[in-house]
């Protein structure tokens, strides 16, 4: 496509250039590419299922027939080498292997769909909130303009205007709680603004995703898809954790080993953990620590592995997958190094039963 663009910019169309153009069309299959672009240009993705199907179609058109990976040479038909090296880190595992798998490409398309969806909802809710605020401000300004016009044109005496202002103040005093709620909500939405649509937040110890924002209330979606409505005047008084705006976050995996475990084995355990973490640079930051938290009952040692993700916990599914793989690797290391935990010897008391006082039950 880039070569065609350069050819089209030339002022003279010689026979040699026409021949080159025909060769490009024959060798690169430009008619197929054009038809594919037209088809994708009219496609509107409205669900995760459609995003998965779209990813499957794109993968099939870009990869070689029957291939399970998209390689760099496949992308050279559409992108420059610099652009390819820029987008490769977006796909899981592509930077290490130099290939994009079907699952990594599908996950990227689904994430792009959700980000676009959340952005569209955020812009729509922001527009709605601004429109509501505009109507409220217009009403207040209209009242002020009417009062000023009445005074300037002499349509009413000062006593009449003072009476009207007094009634307005009385009305404001009557609805002072409502006015306070509206003011606090406006400050929360436009000044504090602790989250956007699609952010994963923690409110009152519950993880929820922001579903909708209005002037007076915010709608959250809990882990079980239950919608929870919070008044913004209440949210402004609560501490709110926002995973999306957080930097790379950490995690802790706790485990207990036998106190009699040799120090050489513990050193080997630390080394094995370090090798695993360094082998997953897309998952973990190399900086980690294995600490001893406490010794319990003189028989077991409680330890913890502190790691740092390369992502925050906005996408909790990815976080859980990484932690699960880490725990499976710890289990494998424990089995390899024969690290186990044994209970202390337990005292067992036996009571002797006299056989003379015991009789076989008889049946009549």
């Amino acid at each position: 496509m880039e070569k065609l663009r350069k050819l089209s910019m030339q002022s003279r169309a010689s026979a040699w250039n026409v021949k080159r153009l025909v060769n490009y069309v024959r060798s690169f299959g430009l008619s197929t590419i054009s038809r594919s672009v037209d088809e994708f240009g009219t496609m509107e993705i409205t669900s995760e299922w459609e995003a998965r199907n779209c990813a499957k179609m794109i993968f099939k058109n870009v990869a070689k027939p029957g291939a399970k990976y998209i390689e760099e040479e496949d992308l050279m038909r559409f992108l420059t080498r610099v652009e390819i090296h820029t987008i490769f880190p977006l796909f899981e595992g592509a930077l290490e292997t130099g290939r994009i798998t079907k699952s990594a490409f599908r996950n990227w398309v689904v994430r792009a769909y959700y980000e676009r969806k959340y952005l569209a909802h955020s812009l729509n809710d922001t527009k709605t909130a601004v429109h509501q605020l505009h109507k409220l401000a217009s009403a207040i300004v209209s009242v002020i303009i009417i009062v000023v016009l009445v005074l300037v044109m002499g349509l009413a005496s000062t006593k009449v205007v003072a009476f009207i202002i007094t009634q307005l103040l009385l009305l404001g005093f009557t609805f002072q709680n409502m006015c306070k709620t509206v003011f606090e909500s406006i400050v929360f939405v436009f000044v504090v603004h602790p989250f956007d649509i699609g952010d994963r937040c923690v409110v009152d110890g519950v993880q929820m995703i922001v579903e909708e924002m209005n002037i007076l209330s915010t709608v959250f979606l809990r882990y079980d898809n239950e919608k929870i409505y919070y008044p913004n005047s209440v949210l402004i008084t609560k501490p709110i954790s926002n995973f999306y705006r957080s930097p790379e976050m950490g995690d802790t995996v706790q485990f207990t080993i036998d106190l009699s475990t040799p120090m050489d084995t513990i050193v080997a355990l630390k080394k094995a953990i370090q090798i695993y973490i360094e082998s997953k640079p897309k998952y973990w930051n190399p900086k980690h620590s294995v600490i001893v938290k406490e010794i319990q009952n003189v028989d077991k040692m409680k330890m913890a592995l502190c790691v740092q993700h390369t992502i925050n916990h906005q996408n909790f599914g990815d976080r859980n997958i990484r932690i699960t793989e880490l725990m499976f690797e710890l289990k494998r290391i424990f089995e390899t190094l024969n690290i186990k935990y044994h209970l202390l010897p337990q005292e067992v008391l036996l009571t002797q039963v006299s056989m003379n006082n015991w009789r076989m039950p008889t049946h009549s």
Side-chain angles (χ1 to χ4, degrees):
M1 298 298 292
E2 183 65 20
K3 292 177 181 178
L4 281 177
R5 186 184 65 82
K6 292 180 180 178
L7 280 176
S8 65
M9 294 175 63
Q10 297 180 4
S11 58
R12 296 181 62 186
S14 63
W16 174 247
N17 287 339
V18 173
K19 183 178 180 181
R20 291 171 62 193
L21 175 60
V22 173
N23 290 335
Y24 289 145
V25 172
R26 286 179 177 176
S27 59
F28 289 101
L30 293 178
S31 60
T32 303
I33 296 175
S34 177
R35 185 168 60 253
S36 301
V37 171
D38 291 339
E39 291 174 359
F40 279 92
T42 58
M43 180 178 295
E44 180 69 22
I45 301 175
T46 59
S47 66
E48 182 178 342
W49 179 78
E50 292 181 0
R52 290 175 178 271
N53 287 340
C54 181
K56 187 183 299 183
M57 294 170 58
I58 296 175
F59 189 93
K60 183 178 179 181
N61 287 337
V62 175
K64 296 182 180 66
K68 297 183 179 180
Y69 306 94
I70 294 178
E71 300 183 358
E72 185 174 344
E73 60 182 16
D74 299 327
L75 296 174
M76 290 295 293
R77 294 183 296 164
F78 311 98
L79 305 171
T80 64
R81 190 174 298 275
V82 176
E83 292 172 335
I84 292 174
H85 292 167
T86 302
I87 67 170
F88 254 62
L90 300 176
F91 304 96
E92 184 177 346
L95 203 59
E96 294 81 7
T97 61
R99 299 182 298 184
I100 303 174
T101 62
K102 284 185 179 181
S103 60
F105 187 79
R106 181 185 63 245
N107 294 337
W108 177 79
V109 173
V110 172
R111 284 198 302 269
Y113 158 69
Y114 277 114
E115 289 179 1
R116 177 182 177 276
K117 175 184 174 182
Y118 292 144
L119 178 60
H121 287 177
S122 180
L123 293 175
N124 183 60
D125 288 349
T126 302
K127 181 180 178 181
T128 303
V130 171
H131 183 65
Q132 293 173 351
L133 182 62
H134 175 71
K135 289 178 12 179
L136 180 62
S138 299
I140 296 175
V141 171
S142 299
V143 172
I144 295 176
I145 291 176
I146 291 174
V147 172
V148 172
L149 285 176
V150 168
L151 284 176
V152 171
M153 298 181 67
L155 298 177
S157 62
T158 307
K159 292 183 178 180
V160 174
V161 174
F163 175 77
I164 295 175
I165 294 177
T166 303
Q167 296 301 315
L168 291 176
L169 291 176
L170 181 62
L171 189 63
F173 180 78
T174 304
F175 296 97
Q176 61 176 344
N177 290 333
M178 181 181 294
C179 296
K180 179 183 176 183
T181 299
V182 172
F183 178 76
E184 290 177 347
S185 299
I186 292 174
V187 170
F188 179 80
V189 172
F190 293 99
V191 180
V192 181
H193 198 72
F195 45 67
D196 293 297
I197 303 295
D199 289 2
R200 183 180 295 275
C201 301
V202 178
V203 182
D204 292 335
V206 180
Q207 287 192 23
M208 297 178 290
I209 295 179
V210 183
E211 180 77 7
E212 183 181 341
M213 289 182 64
N214 299 307
I215 285 289
L216 298 179
S217 65
T218 299
V219 182
F220 293 94
L221 201 63
R222 209 169 61 177
Y223 54 86
D224 57 354
N225 285 341
E226 178 183 349
K227 286 190 175 182
I228 301 177
Y229 293 78
Y230 266 98
N232 291 334
S233 58
V234 174
L235 287 175
I236 199 172
T237 63
K238 292 181 177 293
I240 300 174
S241 301
N242 190 329
F243 287 153
Y244 185 80
R245 298 185 182 181
S246 302
E248 297 176 349
M249 299 182 68
D251 247 318
T252 302
V253 179
Q254 298 184 8
F255 56 93
T256 302
I257 64 175
D258 200 295
L259 188 60
S260 62
T261 305
M263 284 301 302
D264 293 341
T265 305
I266 296 178
V267 173
L269 170 65
K270 291 184 177 181
K271 185 64 177 178
I273 292 175
Q274 180 182 355
I275 292 174
Y276 171 75
I277 290 178
E278 291 179 351
S279 68
K280 298 284 187 179
K282 291 288 290 182
Y283 281 10
W284 310 106
N285 191 299
K287 185 179 179 181
H288 69 283
S289 60
V290 180
I291 61 175
V292 178
K293 302 193 70 174
E294 59 178 328
I295 296 176
Q296 297 178 345
N297 301 331
V298 200
D299 69 322
K300 54 187 175 183
M301 185 162 56
K302 191 174 181 181
M303 304 183 68
L305 169 60
C306 304
V307 293
Q308 184 175 352
H309 293 267
T310 56
I311 59 172
N312 55 32
H313 294 172
Q314 167 67 16
N315 192 335
F316 216 68
D318 289 349
R319 178 260 177 192
N320 290 337
I321 291 174
R322 297 181 180 192
I323 285 293
T324 300
E325 291 185 6
L326 179 60
M327 289 184 177
F328 281 145
E329 180 64 20
L330 283 176
K331 180 180 182 299
R332 189 192 65 80
I333 294 173
F334 292 156
E335 292 174 349
T336 303
L337 299 178
N338 196 27
I339 297 178
K340 298 180 179 179
Y341 168 69
H342 303 89
L343 290 172
L344 287 174
Q346 302 295 317
E347 182 179 2
V348 179
L349 299 178
L350 297 177
T351 303
Q352 185 176 3
V353 179
S354 176
M355 298 297 295
N356 297 328
N357 298 330
W358 181 78
R359 291 184 178 182
M360 184 73 80
T362 59
H363 299 276
S364 56

